[in-house]
Amino acid sequence: MTITAPSRVHDLVDPAILYWGTPVVLVSTLNADGTANLAPISSAFWLGHTATLGFGLASHSLANLQRTGECVLNLPGPDQVSAVDRLALTTGAEPVPPWKAANGYVHSRDKFDRAGLTPVPGRVVAAPLAAECPVAMEATLEAVHLTDHAVVQVTVEQVHVHPSIRMAGSERRIDPARWRPLIMSFQRFFTLGDEVHPSRLAGIDEEAYR
Ligand SMILES: Cc1cc2nc3c(=O)[nH]c(=O)nc-3n(C[C@H](O)[C@H](O)[C@H](O)COP(=O)(O)O)c2cc1C
């Protein structure tokens, strides 16, 4: 019997970046002078109430997080895409780090103002929430792992959401049919499309994860 290997269906490629599509997070932190910094990132995932975030080593937000031990993770939707894009190529760091300066980044002192977003006070951390973002999570720093980037773990302490994305009839649940995250994929902005299939995982009550 001869066994024929299945023919290859993939091309072997070497992408410079692996931005497969993740939600944009606007990270607010406090600067040393008490003003707020706000930076878009898209390297973020959630495990229980721990968020794991990826920052470039020259990020001013990273320095603020390490100094203060806290931040707010604001999740914009498609309505905030212009605000997010106004923050692109800006940094709270002064002077602007050499790689960023060479690639067109500029220093911005008041990034809430630049973005056109409204700072509102948090409940447990000093960094402000962005009022226009449907989700804002106050978080405290757990760990920083330094590689060629900084892999940062924070614990989500308080979750604030706009009433419009809450599940009707539930005190705690978010309605995924109403929540539309802003997704960055290979340096372009998208959002989620329609639900494509029921999930068998939904047979487990969300409360079982508590
Ligand atoms: C949509 C978007 C996603 C980004 N994702 C990341 C990211 O995941 N990690 C990161 O370090 N920088 C990311 N950046 C670049 C940062 O915003 C940039 O480094 C910025 O200067 C950080 O601001 P800061 O220096 O004030 O912290 C992203 C920028 C945009 C516009």
Side-chain angles (χ1 to χ4, degrees):
M1 190 176 77
T2 53
I3 299 173
T4 48
S7 53
R8 293 192 189 283
V9 295
H10 299 95
D11 289 344
L12 193 60
V13 294
D14 181 24
I17 53 175
L18 298 175
Y19 295 171
W20 297 112
T22 41
V24 175
V25 182
L26 289 179
V27 182
S28 28
T29 52
L30 271 203
N31 297 318
D33 66 2
T35 60
N37 193 41
L38 187 65
I41 65 164
S42 54
S43 310
F45 75 94
W46 325 93
L47 203 55
H49 277 56
T50 299
T52 301
L53 315 169
F55 287 95
L57 295 176
S59 160
H60 191 63
S61 304
L62 174 66
N64 282 349
L65 246 170
Q66 288 183 292
R67 192 187 66 259
T68 63
E70 49 185 47
C71 64
V72 178
L73 306 177
N74 303 279
L75 303 189
D79 289 348
Q80 289 77 48
V81 67
S82 301
V84 171
D85 206 37
R86 282 193 285 273
L87 293 174
L89 304 180
T90 67
T91 176
E94 195 176 31
V96 177
W99 184 91
K100 288 188 176 178
N103 284 280
Y105 275 76
V106 294
H107 169 68
S108 179
R109 194 168 178 281
D110 189 345
K111 293 210 249 167
F112 271 90
D113 187 55
R114 186 183 185 105
L117 295 173
T118 313
V120 290
R123 289 174 187 268
V124 294
V125 310
L129 287 60
E132 292 80 358
C133 290
V135 180
M137 293 172 281
E138 299 183 60
T140 51
L141 183 63
E142 294 301 329
V144 177
H145 308 278
L146 295 178
T147 61
D148 55 340
H149 285 75
V151 181
V152 173
Q153 288 176 306
V154 299
T155 298
V156 172
E157 308 283 359
Q158 302 262 308
V159 179
H160 306 255
V161 300
H162 285 180
S164 57
I165 67 165
R166 294 183 64 182
M167 178 86 78
S170 167
E171 276 303 304
R172 296 169 56 185
R173 294 183 62 179
I174 307 304
D175 187 342
R178 293 164 173 240
W179 163 229
R180 283 283 171 273
L182 182 65
I183 301 288
M184 203 202 64
S185 178
F186 292 98
Q187 304 198 98
R188 288 164 60 181
F189 294 115
F190 296 85
T191 189
L192 295 183
D194 293 333
E195 187 172 17
V196 292
H197 198 279
S199 167
R200 292 177 55 235
L201 193 63
I204 302 174
D205 193 294
E206 270 191 24
E207 298 296 328
Y209 295 98
R210 193 80 182 169

